[in-house]
Amino acid sequence: MRFIDHLIAGGTPGEGAVHGANDKAAVHGANTTATRKGPVFNPSTGALQAQVALGDAKLLDHAVKQALAAQPAWAATNPQRRARVMFAFKQLIERDMQSLAELLASEHGKVVADAKGDIQRGLEVVEFACGIPHALKGEYTQGAGPGIDVYSMRQPVGIGAGITPFNFPAMIPMWMFAPAIACGNAFILKPSERDPSVPVRLAELMLEAGLPEGILQVVHGDKEMVDAILDHPAIGAVSFVGSSDIAHYVYERGAHNGKRVQAMGGAKNHGIIMPDADLPRAVDDIVGAAFGSAGERCMALPVVVPVGAGTAERLIDTLLPAIEGLKIGTSLDPAAHYGPVVSAQHKGKIEDWIERSAAEGAKIIVDGRGFTLQGHEEGFYLGPTLIDHVTPDMDSYHNEIFGPVLQIVRAPDFESALALPSRHQYGNGVAIFTRNGHAAREFAARVNVGMVGINVPIPVPVAYHTFGGWKRSAFGDTNQHGMEGVRFWTKIKTVTARWPDSTPEGGNAFIIPTMS
């Protein structure tokens, strides 16, 4: 059985410390004598395949000391040289794409094609970070006063930390550490303990790309490690993605301790189907968005809203054969549309939500409970579930299910459909399917949600724009990646400069002038 250790500069190696460790990275293992360990399962088989060391405040303190020692020299490295490390890292990711995707799939359960998408979307943020010399440029005003120039500079916050979820073990870490490190910070990553190997491997590749030791370190843990990060006085900024209750906790505790915090929470994204929508195309998009990656995506589309009774019936008639055609398989099955969910506990939680939907009066049209995959009966599989006549007062609508479950909430008209995502507690993403430009424009302008797709089911912005929801989907003032990411991981310093024409020996004293 593998043992997945931390990746910390200055640590001591241990037997089997890091999955896939090369000679350069292997010396960074630490804490192989950890008394607390967490299980890492293969969701496709249900088998325990590894154990991960769970760290504590003492281990974090060691990582912070290494970061404090390394960060000043990295910040002093010119941004072109920092960008070259990002370019080299990008090439290494592309070189190892297949092995990374298979490793990710083996611990998360998503199929390899989805795992490659996970990695690719993170890689796009790395590509943005390759342009960091341009993104870090400040502002300059010549002659702001008599002989006075004013300019600003962006400087790193120092040490940043990221706490990332199980559902995107490659993309979300790269969303965080790529811009943070490119801006001159040291970074401590605490990935999910459910699928920790890919984040460790990414850190190894950063070392191979030329990143100095101590700039990117990986620590594993549970709430004990999260609290240690939020409380450590030397960590200046924390980025988090996870459930809304935990996001609120992270934001509140981190802010209380004087940290800059961005905390992304849960979602209940809606897809509005107007009567004039291209229904076959919309259904293809909806099925992929609702059931792809077993629905374990914060930008999944778990709610579809047909506008008008006729639209609802046509939608169901088109959905049913598309759902029946879905193939569920192991994460390594190239023909599978999606694989298992991440754990037995999460599978049970999803099944409970399906049962609650029925108890609340919704109609289960397709029931994915009880699905088993021949030869993999112990795997964490669920078939696709379609539920009709869901209403806004139901708990199963109000809360995030995070599984291969699609709910239908019928709306009589455009205004009623617009109100559903606008009034929901979450405001991450939303989509509208229509051929009517006026309806699409009105919807995009008025809906109370942070990211909008027009005939796009999963409106995740490209890397040079920013990702972030509204309401209980996000806590903090800045979004992920793009220029918002650069702003989050840097501090503005403004300099007002005047160079006197003569020296004090010439008899002219320097007097701070007004700007008049």
Side-chain angles (χ1 to χ4, degrees), residues 266-268 270 303 353 356-357 360 390-401 407 409 423-426 472:
K268 194 80 172 188
H270 294 55
V303 176
W353 277 119
R356 184 177 297 188
S357 294
E360 290 177 321
V390 176
T391 57
D393 60 328
M394 295 180 179
D395 284 344
S396 59
Y397 168 78
H398 186 69
N399 289 282
E400 187 175 32
I401 296 176
Q407 297 176 301
V409 181
R423 293 173 180 170
H424 201 279
Q425 65 166 331
Y426 298 123
R472 292 196 76 242

Side-chain angles (χ1 to χ4, degrees), residues 216 288 296 459-460:
L216 175 58
E296 294 174 317
V460 177

Side-chain angles (χ1 to χ4, degrees), residues 146-149 497-513:
I148 294 175
D149 302 325
R498 180 190 182 203
W499 296 98
D501 292 333
S502 58
T503 64
E505 288 78 5
N508 292 333
F510 178 73
I511 300 173
I512 298 175

Side-chain angles (χ1 to χ4, degrees), residues 191-279:
S192 171
E193 63 275 22
R194 295 182 186 179
D195 45 10
S197 290
V198 165
V200 172
R201 184 69 185 128
L202 294 175
E204 292 175 350
L205 292 177
M206 282 292 281
L207 288 170
E208 187 177 343
L211 188 71
E213 296 180 4
I215 297 302
L216 175 58
Q217 302 178 89
V218 181
V219 296
H220 302 296
D222 48 18
K223 185 178 183 296
E224 183 176 343
M225 180 60 77
V226 170
D227 287 346
I229 290 170
L230 297 175
D231 294 343
H232 202 293
I235 294 175
V238 176
S239 184
F240 171 88
V241 176
S243 69
S244 288
D245 288 345
I246 305 302
H248 187 204
Y249 170 82
V250 166
Y251 179 77
E252 196 171 55
R253 185 161 179 160
H256 176 76
N257 288 325
K259 302 185 191 309
R260 183 178 294 185
V261 183
Q262 56 179 195
M264 305 298 165
K268 194 80 172 188
N269 306 321
H270 294 55
I272 312 301
I273 310 297
M274 296 298 291
D276 67 334
D278 181 342
L279 204 54

Side-chain angles (χ1 to χ4, degrees), residues 30 220 251 285 315 327 329 364 371 427-428 431 435:
H220 302 296
Y251 179 77
D285 289 342
L315 173 66
K327 184 178 190 297
I364 300 177
F371 175 87
N428 213 40
R435 292 186 176 98

Side-chain angles (χ1 to χ4, degrees), residues 152-176:
S152 65
M153 60 182 79
R154 288 197 170 274
Q155 296 187 325
V157 297
I159 300 177
I163 303 166
T164 58
F166 76 85
N167 59 320
F168 284 100
M171 180 184 77
I172 294 176
M174 285 191 276
W175 277 11
M176 296 177 185

Side-chain angles (χ1 to χ4, degrees), residues 110 170 177 193 248 483:
K110 64 177 69 176
F177 74 66
E193 63 275 22
H248 187 204
M483 283 306 299

